[in-house]
Amino acid sequence: MIGTATRPELASTARAWHVLAPDEVLRNLGTRSTGLEPTEAVARLAQHGTNELRHEERVSPLRLFVGQFKSLIVGILAAAAVVSCALGEWLDASAILAIVVLNGFIGFYQEYNAERALAALKRMTAPSARVRRGGRSSQIPAREVVPGDVLELEPGDLVAADARLIEAASFQTNEAPLTGESHPVAKRAEALERDDTPLAERTNTVYLGTSVASGRAAAVVVATGMQTEFGRIMDLLATAESGERTPLQQRLHELGRILVWCSLALVALIFAIGLARGVPPLELFMTSVSLAVAAVPEGLPAIVTVALALGVQRMARRRALVRRLHAVETLGSTNVICSDKTGTLTVGEMTVRALWVPDREFEVGGEGYAPVGEITRAGAALSVSDRAAVERVLGVLVGCNSAALAQLDSEWRVIGDPTEGALLCAGLKASISSAEVETRSPRVVEHPFDSDRKRMTVVRRMAGADRCALVKGAPDVLLELCDRVDRDGHVVPLASSDRERITAQMSAMAERGLRVLAAARRELDQDATLEFAHALERELVFVGLAGMVDPPRPQAKGAVALAKRAGIRVTMITGDHPRTAGAIARELGIASSEAEVMAGGDLDRLDDEAFAGRIEDVSVYARVTAAHKLRIVRAWKGRGAVVAMTGDGVNDAPAIRGADVGLAMGRTGTEVTKEASDMVITDDDFATIVAAVEQGRGTYDNIRKTLQYLLAGNVGELFLMTSAVVFGLPLPLMPVQLLWINLATDGLPALCLATDPIERDVMLRRPRVRAESITDRSFVLSMLVTGLLTAGVALGTYLYSLGRFPVEMARAHAFTALVYAELLRSFGARSLTQPVWRVGFTSNLKLAAVVAASIGLQFSLPHLGSLGKVLDVPEMPLGHCVALFGIGVIPLAVLELAKAFRGRRADHGDVGV
């Protein structure tokens, strides 16, 4: 029995396990190949704790709801409600509080539903592990695995902890969730030489959360729980949160500060003017505060929330599930997208792209495992001779294969090794199926792929009772075993010039980022020994090469080009080999040369200052770890960029959390990655991300023009009310009328403006700068001009009516003219540059319907006794209503004619140039 004195006490040596021989690893861990004794395992479980990762606590519904009320704008509205209560304006206070609470419920409902929808995407599992204990093999819960346990691994298993291989037979693992490696990684038990071997190249170590693709192995556990590589990523995740406001939150916070100071300045100004005119202080105070409250756009928080929620719905229709509401607009502000390669920019399925036989190369069409696509030569259909050559090379690659292709729910899937699945798919494109091969030439013996031999051999019984060894494997290794070559169906000796041409072709295909396999065969004598692979794998006939890759998605290249036109920098970050990553990036238009590719090891040699100086020149990062990805995101943010990060593996989670907006993949994404994200891309497609950026930009545009519409209305009301105070006139609007304008007249059209369709040129503009204010010079100028126009129309109407009618009727005239002006102006608010007749009335039918209904209601107010009394609108002749409507058209007409004039001047300017 192993004593407790030999228990591993330090996790600090975990990084060096790969340089030790298997017996040294066992000795240092105080265990043996037969495993721990059960009593020792119990003691180690008490010492090291359970083999579990730390999970983030779920945000409670109450906390999610309270979080909706943290903005400065909401605080201002709450203060306005309190002041209204103090002034006895209970209707005003109730309406404002209702808006605040409604806004909170809308935001809560959206984020809570997103969390529930995300939960439905998760696959619940009860992980277990097969371990050797006391010389026996037993199945135990994965949480009870301890350092020193010996895991038994076979195809389909999830690895339960980080472990060092001590036995391996044709063993391969899928490490995509951890390293981003797109194809299975061959593993072996031998020690490695370099202490600083990158994680993706530690071929004698397996990791928690990865899976077994093929073969069998035994591995001794060296780290569990938070001491594993996944655990280290979880620690990074805990420190990755930036804590910054989103760009929209920053802008609205800044706007809130402006509104606070403007309100205070207004109170001070009115108070000073009133004192100078001898107005009683109490009356003056109440009037001043009422005006300050009127300055706040009560409907703004609800408008912003509705615009974002509508953006969420539109994104959901485009297969993007938003978890956090403000991510909608933040994605629209993005100017750098750091994208994972495998499954996002690429289809995530190995595909044969090229076949080569001596002196002839063929292109293979299609993507993924679906057997759809043509095999051509130089873009033309195959001749009879070409087809025979293709059948010879694919006959070997399909015959020397142990995978299967199956169509499940209209999707083609590989059962077995993805590389072999890609070869089967290429065979089907040439009408060569594995079932037909098996029927025509039954399998006699198979020698599976081995990481030492780097090849696989299948012996088949051919027609006439002859036997043939079909071999595929690493091209450099296989070429050394060949002494003849198949040229146009004739077997001839392999000359040195042939070797040179084949080697050059191998290099050329590898430079294109293709993973290259060679195919060879050997006719066997009747008395040939079949039991030993090495006896079969000699004196081979070289047949040809196959080049495969995880190809770009069909939509990805166009999406990258669209992102570039929109001023967005796309950066690829992957765990793949630099050559493969660079080739895919060049095909997609992300990079133009090898100089734009940086490996993780090169990044380690740069300090932060040196890296910041080079970041603009690098478009592709390969062989990177989770820490590298987070460092890249932070470097871009340090330059003022708004960064989106995409990914699916656990190694992507820290960078996704640290980015301004994190995007997780819905199909292949891990639970940890989805929890760290702001948005889940349900179809794992980069084109969906670009479409979501477009929607985010459209949402921001709608929020901005809605905000301008609301603030221009408030400015008009303030100009009107302040003018009356300055000139000693009776107040032209009563508090209840101000509230009606802000919430009903302005609020309903504003909600419709928030649903405006996205403008066609939204992806032709440069991204907004992070520090850019939502209220820039043109915004403020347009707001002031519009406010002065509407105030001028209402004030002129009020002054005219004061001399001819009682003050109540004059107020009703001013109120009605202002309402009509505000309602009609909503049509012009849809565009800052295009006049209303170019934008059209039918492209936003909701707005047209709301304005029509509101105008009808305003026409009816003087004739509706109860509502008219509440709003202080006395009965007036129909002719007054028609005349006031005509007056209300004036601001819209002036503003739209000015737009048309500016547009015409700009057109003439362009012609002149």
Side-chain angles (χ1 to χ4, degrees), residues 172-188:
Q172 292 183 303
T173 60
N174 173 24
E175 295 185 349
L178 181 65
T179 66
E181 188 70 49
S182 57
H183 49 76
V185 180
K187 298 283 186 177
R188 55 184 184 175

Side-chain angles (χ1 to χ4, degrees), residues 346-686:
T346 64
V347 297
E349 298 174 355
M350 295 299 289
T351 304
V352 175
R353 297 289 289 270
L355 296 170
W356 185 86
V357 298
D359 302 323
R360 278 186 282 184
E361 183 170 356
F362 307 97
E363 305 88 34
V364 183
E367 293 92 16
Y369 300 133
V372 178
E374 294 185 2
I375 300 177
T376 57
R377 183 182 178 192
L382 300 182
S383 66
V384 174
S385 173
D386 289 337
R387 181 165 293 280
V390 167
E391 289 176 352
R392 283 193 295 273
V393 67
L394 284 177
V396 173
L397 296 172
V398 172
C400 183
N401 204 304
S402 58
L405 272 179
Q407 190 173 17
L408 304 172
D409 300 328
S410 75
E411 285 191 16
W412 286 86
R413 299 179 187 176
V414 172
I415 302 169
D417 184 278
T419 298
E420 294 197 324
L423 296 172
L424 292 180
C425 179
L428 288 173
K429 293 173 184 177
S431 302
I432 302 172
S433 73
S434 57
E436 290 177 3
V437 169
E438 201 66 45
T439 302
R440 188 174 64 248
S441 308
R443 188 181 306 239
V444 178
V445 170
E446 176 181 327
H447 293 286
F449 177 87
D450 183 276
S451 57
D452 292 323
R453 292 168 36 246
K454 295 185 178 179
R455 55 191 178 271
M456 173 186 180
T457 297
V458 172
V459 177
R460 292 189 176 275
R461 190 175 302 283
M462 314 302 284
D466 292 331
R467 294 178 298 178
C468 183
L470 308 178
V471 188
K472 75 171 188 290
D476 53 341
V477 174
L478 212 57
L479 185 59
E480 291 298 317
L481 301 174
C482 295
D483 61 5
R484 289 164 294 162
V485 60
D486 186 319
R487 183 175 286 113
D488 294 327
H490 303 287
V491 177
V492 298
L494 185 66
S496 58
S497 58
D498 293 323
R499 290 185 184 276
E500 290 173 2
R501 280 198 298 273
I502 294 169
T503 302
Q505 182 64 28
M506 287 158 40
S507 299
M509 293 172 79
E511 286 298 321
R512 286 152 51 189
L514 299 176
R515 185 186 181 199
V516 186
L517 285 179
R521 70 172 190 268
R522 179 187 171 196
E523 307 295 333
L524 300 175
D525 299 330
Q526 289 295 331
D527 58 350
T529 302
L530 306 181
E531 287 77 15
F532 303 105
H534 287 285
L536 296 171
E537 297 164 349
R538 60 186 177 82
E539 300 174 0
L540 300 175
V541 177
F542 182 86
V543 179
L545 301 171
M548 65 192 71
V549 71
D550 176 12
R553 287 179 176 269
Q555 310 93 330
K557 187 170 184 179
V560 169
L562 179 59
K564 283 189 168 184
R565 285 200 301 273
I568 299 170
R569 174 74 178 269
V570 180
T571 300
M572 178 192 290
I573 303 179
T574 178
D576 257 351
H577 191 281
R579 189 164 54 195
T580 303
I584 293 292
R586 288 192 293 275
E587 186 173 348
L588 288 171
I590 293 174
S592 57
S593 69
E594 291 183 7
E596 296 180 57
V597 181
M598 179 182 285
D602 298 327
L603 179 55
D604 284 331
R605 287 187 280 274
L606 297 176
D607 59 25
D608 289 343
E609 185 177 350
F611 178 44
R614 286 202 57 191
I615 194 168
E616 295 278 359
D617 303 323
V618 181
S619 299
V620 181
Y621 298 89
R623 282 287 189 255
V624 290
T625 64
H628 290 144
K629 294 182 181 186
L630 181 58
R631 186 181 177 195
I632 293 164
V633 167
R634 285 175 170 170
W636 273 114
K637 289 179 70 174
R639 296 179 68 84
V642 178
V643 184
M645 173 72 196
T646 79
D648 56 1
V650 173
N651 61 333
D652 298 312
I656 283 175
R657 172 66 60 81
D660 291 292
V661 56
L663 309 168
M665 301 298 106
R667 291 182 178 178
T668 58
T670 61
E671 179 179 340
V672 173
T673 310
K674 291 172 186 173
E675 285 183 349
S677 70
D678 302 297
M679 191 179 298
V680 177
I681 307 301
T682 58
D683 62 355
D684 293 11
D685 194 341
F686 185 80

Side-chain angles (χ1 to χ4, degrees), residues 744-791:
T745 305
D746 286 355
L748 293 176
L751 283 172
C752 297
L753 283 174
T755 69
D756 227 20
I758 298 173
E759 294 183 24
R760 286 193 293 268
D761 67 343
V762 71
M763 290 299 280
L764 300 178
R765 308 175 201 160
R766 305 295 297 178
R768 297 183 302 279
V769 179
R770 180 187 285 272
E772 176 187 310
S773 172
I774 199 169
T775 53
D776 57 18
R777 185 172 177 272
S778 63
F779 181 101
V780 173
L781 183 62
S782 177
M783 179 185 71
L784 292 175
V785 170
T786 304
L788 279 169
L789 263 174
T790 53

Side-chain angles (χ1 to χ4, degrees), residues 868-909:
K869 287 180 182 178
V870 170
L871 295 175
D872 291 326
V873 178
E875 188 172 346
M876 69 175 73
L878 185 61
H880 287 203
C881 297
V882 174
L884 292 170
F885 180 81
I887 293 170
V889 173
I890 294 173
L892 175 66
V894 171
L895 291 169
E896 299 312 294
L897 287 172
K899 285 182 196 175
F901 177 71
R902 286 198 304 271
R904 184 173 296 179
R905 263 193 3 180
D907 292 341
H908 286 316

Side-chain angles (χ1 to χ4, degrees), residues 100 222 262 403 661 750 836 851:
V100 171
V222 297
C262 287
V661 56
V836 67
V851 170

